[in-house]
Amino acid sequence: MSEKYQVSSSPHVRAKDSTSNVMLYVIIALLPAAFFGIYNFGYKALILILVTIAACVASEWVFDRIVHKKNSVPDLSAVVTGLLLAMNLPASLPWWEAVIGAVFAIVIVKMMFGGLGQNFMNPALGGRCFLLIAFAADMTNYASSKFEAYSGATPLAMIRNEGLSSVNVMDMLTGKIPGTIGETSVIAILIGAVIMILLGVIDLKIPASYILTFAVFMFIFGADRFDMNYVVAQLCGGGLMLGAFFMATDYVTSPITPKGQIVFGICCGLLTGLFRCFGANAEGVSFAIILSNLLVPIIEKFTVPRAFGVVKVKEAGKNE
């Protein structure tokens, strides 16, 4: 009796989780930080989150209809983009500006390049950086949270202008600070990160290499050199943790090779450190990740594992 083998193109090993399942896991993991943002900033944060998600979903649906593509909204990637973008916005941002950022993220960054899996940079970060350029004043006008200790100024800005003594590192860890909706509470972000790790959505290669590289850079080159309290404050401030776990780990815009993921994380850490130490702005995470996204093709080219039995041309020539 002859045996028949089915021959098909790669990939030959497939994960059981669908795209929509993975996106649902990310949404669940983002909820602790989102709920804390709503608690911290009130109903304005909730409205901005809902409006931004709705704008992203509507933009993708309309684009699919215009170009006669299959409706891609059910994969939930537009919901993730909207939620991530909203969490990178100040609660005081006018809702119509959030809508513009959402349309830019979905239509220009994502759909114009072929949709999910084809975009060259993280859509949410692309939308945020567009808003930072187009509406700089509103994007840096952080509404005071229910915790008035910092009078609306972000801790990173206060550290740069007044020194480390002007901030409370414990407040930065728990989230009793102003900032964007989803970046304030490191504890809430880490809860979400643990959820994603336990569900197998991400591993620690990119976030660990990102955070470690940034910490070493700030320890050596920061304003308060060799001061661990300063390093911890820099780690807890701004969007570093949110970016490291939720945006740098984006499947589409990060390397697929294990070594490449580590190199990518190192690039993100170095660029974030450079922007924070020597740039005009006290933040830098969004631009650092986007620039690293652009380096992914080069990183993957030099970190692709060599196939078994394949030798370099020069080595083969020496053996002749």
Side-chain angles (χ1 to χ4, degrees):
M1 184 176 181
S2 62
E3 295 183 1
K4 293 183 179 180
Y5 296 93
Q6 182 178 357
V7 179
S8 63
S9 61
S10 62
H12 302 294
V13 179
R14 296 177 172 85
K16 295 180 181 179
D17 287 324
S18 63
T19 301
S20 58
N21 285 341
V22 172
M23 295 299 162
L24 180 60
Y25 296 155
V26 176
I27 293 170
I28 293 172
L30 283 168
L31 290 180
F35 286 149
F36 185 87
I38 296 168
Y39 166 74
N40 194 355
F41 298 103
Y43 72 94
K44 290 183 178 181
L46 175 60
I47 293 174
L48 202 64
I49 289 173
L50 295 177
V51 167
T52 308
I53 293 174
C56 283
V57 172
S59 298
E60 186 158 323
W61 183 82
V62 170
F63 187 92
D64 286 337
R65 291 294 298 270
I66 292 174
V67 300
H68 305 291
K69 288 180 62 177
K70 180 182 177 181
N71 182 18
S72 56
V73 170
D75 65 19
L76 298 180
S77 61
V79 178
V80 171
T81 297
L83 182 54
L84 278 173
L85 176 58
M87 294 179 71
N88 279 278
L89 302 177
S92 60
L93 190 76
W95 65 269
W96 59 270
E97 292 182 10
V99 170
I100 292 175
V103 172
F104 182 88
I106 293 296
V107 176
I108 304 299
V109 181
K110 181 183 178 183
M111 304 305 290
M112 291 291 287
F113 287 89
L116 182 64
Q118 305 298 320
N119 46 285
F120 68 98
M121 69 171 66
N122 185 285
L125 286 181
R128 181 178 191 268
C129 290
F130 171 77
L131 290 175
L132 278 170
I133 296 171
F135 307 105
D138 290 336
M139 284 292 291
T140 55
N141 180 24
Y142 299 103
S144 298
S145 67
K146 66 185 300 179
F147 307 104
E148 297 293 339
Y150 297 96
S151 301
T154 62
L156 288 181
M158 295 191 69
I159 291 174
R160 169 172 284 200
N161 297 328
E162 303 175 27
L164 182 62
S165 60
S166 62
V167 301
N168 185 314
V169 177
M170 184 56 65
D171 286 347
M172 297 176 69
L173 180 66
T174 56
K176 298 179 180 180
I177 54 174
T180 64
I181 294 172
E183 73 179 17
T184 55
S185 176
V186 174
I187 293 176
I189 294 170
L190 290 178
I191 291 173
V194 170
I195 291 173
M196 289 202 296
I197 292 170
L198 293 178
L199 291 174
V201 177
I202 64 170
D203 61 30
L204 286 173
K205 291 187 185 68
I206 291 176
S209 57
Y210 186 171
I211 294 170
L212 181 60
T213 301
F214 174 77
V216 172
F217 187 97
M218 299 305 291
F219 186 73
I220 297 174
F221 299 106
D224 293 348
R225 297 179 182 178
F226 312 114
D227 186 341
M228 283 306 301
N229 288 328
Y230 174 80
V231 174
V232 172
Q234 287 288 338
L235 288 172
C236 294
L240 179 69
M241 291 297 175
L242 184 65
F245 286 104
F246 287 95
M247 288 174 284
T249 55
D250 178 27
Y251 290 169
V252 179
T253 57
S254 62
I256 60 174
T257 60
K259 290 182 181 178
Q261 291 174 353
I262 295 174
V263 173
F264 177 77
I266 292 172
C267 289
C268 290
L270 289 175
L271 287 172
T272 304
L274 284 171
F275 289 146
R276 286 197 180 181
C277 287
F278 308 110
N281 192 279
E283 225 329 326
V285 171
S286 297
F287 290 105
I289 296 177
I290 282 181
L291 289 176
S292 298
N293 289 157
L294 301 180
L295 298 176
V296 167
I298 299 175
I299 294 173
E300 289 185 333
K301 179 179 179 180
F302 290 99
T303 57
V304 173
R306 190 186 307 175
F308 180 76
V310 176
V311 295
K312 292 182 179 179
V313 175
K314 292 183 179 180
E315 293 177 355
K318 292 180 180 178
N319 295 330
E320 290 181 353

